[in-house]
Amino acid sequence: MRHASWNMTGRADEPGGPHAKLRNEFDAWAEAGRGEAMEKGHLPTARQALERVPFDAARPETFLDLGCGNGYIVRLAAERLHPAGTAIGLDVSPRMLAEAERATERFITALERTKGRAPSVRFVEGAFEDLPLEPASVDHCYSNEAIYYSPDIDRALAEILRILKPGGTFHCSLDFFEENTYSHDWQDKVGLPMMMDNADGWVTRFRAAGFVDVSSDRLLDPTEVPPIPDEADEEARTRHGMLAAWKREVGTLLVVGRKPTP
Ligand SMILES: C[S@@+](CC[C@H](N)C(=O)[O-])C[C@H]1O[C@@H](n2cnc3c(N)ncnc32)[C@H](O)[C@@H]1O
């Protein structure tokens, strides 16, 4: 098991610290249009993960998406919530949040036109390790392709438990994990520390944090993998094989836990 570390000497939110580095990196991704590209790439499995969130449309619940990027998961959740419910997207990157707000304004107008009333949606700048939310205020928390960037995952998990209501759920999906060999060079490509672990390691971490009913599963992406060009070299062929194996056989790792009820 490889565990990348931020080698922190101070607080994550210090100037020049991990949160500033994450903000700079993901602001640049937003500028380059990668918020929308991630939505397209992640949607097939994120949608499956969201289907497992036990929304109760008869009650006004609160949903939180951690590392919301351009906000597409928040919008999907808003469609599933009671009209008096609340959907919150949290991200460390102000530019991702600006993109999320722009897209959501249009979405809410359309939802109000078709359904008469839409849940309340808001986007919050913040960090997983210090959530700007009240204790026991969230029914369902979700996070896709984000938690492994955390400079302190155990603290992030403790924060998620703090803000969940007793019995509340956390669904966490990841493509960067040990069993997915295609993901093994992503940390070098991104240039930020990313926590690599396997499915059992994530389950153990959730249990150690205090989650109960912890389980893991894999979500396959039915999207067609583009064919490899005839002129591709040996290395490109190997990468293509790993990509196809990830989408068809390995899948996205989904880890689920619940906050215990007293
Ligand atoms: C790879 S993107 C995934 C975005 C989106 N969830 C999706 O499915 O496309 C990771 C997002 O998590 C955010 N992020 C990473 N680490 C964070 C942290 N410690 N606190 C808050 N946001 C963080 C980034 O700013 C970025 O928008």
Side-chain angles (χ1 to χ4, degrees), residues 71-151:
Y72 71 98
I73 288 165
V74 174
R75 291 186 286 281
L76 284 174
E79 287 178 343
R80 306 259 317 266
L81 285 167
H82 184 282
T86 304
I88 306 167
L90 177 137
D91 207 289
V92 76
S93 155
R95 284 182 203 263
M96 283 288 183
L97 292 168
E99 213 182 286
E101 270 163 6
R102 256 196 314 275
T104 304
E105 227 169 272
R106 292 193 297 270
F107 164 86
I108 292 290
T109 309
L111 199 61
E112 280 172 345
R113 204 175 299 133
T114 50
K115 291 198 174 169
R117 190 175 168 199
S120 139
V121 177
R122 68 176 198 270
F123 291 97
V124 182
E125 189 178 329
F128 305 157
E129 303 74 26
D130 193 9
L131 296 174
L133 294 165
E134 291 298 314
S137 58
V138 170
D139 296 277
H140 306 295
C141 182
Y142 177 52
S143 182
N144 181 55
E145 276 293 274
I147 193 104
Y148 52 73
Y149 291 106
S150 172

